[in-house]
Amino acid sequence: MRKIVIDIERVLAEKGVRKTTLCYWCRLQRTQLNNYCKNKVVRVDLHTLEKMCDYLECDVCDILKMVETEGESEQEDGSIL
């Protein structure tokens, strides 16, 4: 099974941008950004994602990643094993 993860901390490190700076320029609360960093967000706000990508000069695919997860796997008919 695969899931989407938010890899914003890697992008911040690569760009040399602090979380506080990103929060200021994107008008985010620090807890909101921390939830993105910890993958605790269930519904991604596209406007927020757009602001982060604009400021970091990156693409959405640099922040959102599709990764394989261990554990439950789906059968061909869509049911969980």
Side-chain angles (χ1 to χ4, degrees), residues 25-64:
W25 286 104
C26 296
R27 304 212 190 290
L28 298 172
Q29 292 181 358
R30 181 64 180 242
T31 54
Q32 185 181 8
L33 180 58
N34 283 335
N35 285 337
Y36 276 90
C37 291
K38 294 176 184 176
N39 284 289
K40 291 186 176 180
V41 178
V42 178
R43 293 186 179 112
V44 176
D45 182 341
L46 295 179
H47 185 67
T48 299
L49 188 60
E50 177 185 10
K51 289 189 294 187
M52 289 191 287
C53 288
D54 281 346
Y55 183 77
L56 294 170
E57 297 178 346
C58 68
D59 201 3
V60 174
C61 63
D62 296 324
I63 294 176
L64 300 179

Side-chain angles (χ1 to χ4, degrees), residues 2-15:
R2 298 181 343 161
K3 73 175 190 173
I4 296 173
V5 295
I6 303 167
D7 201 14
I8 188 77
E9 284 189 298
R10 179 190 53 80
V11 176
L12 289 171
E14 286 177 0
K15 301 283 185 172

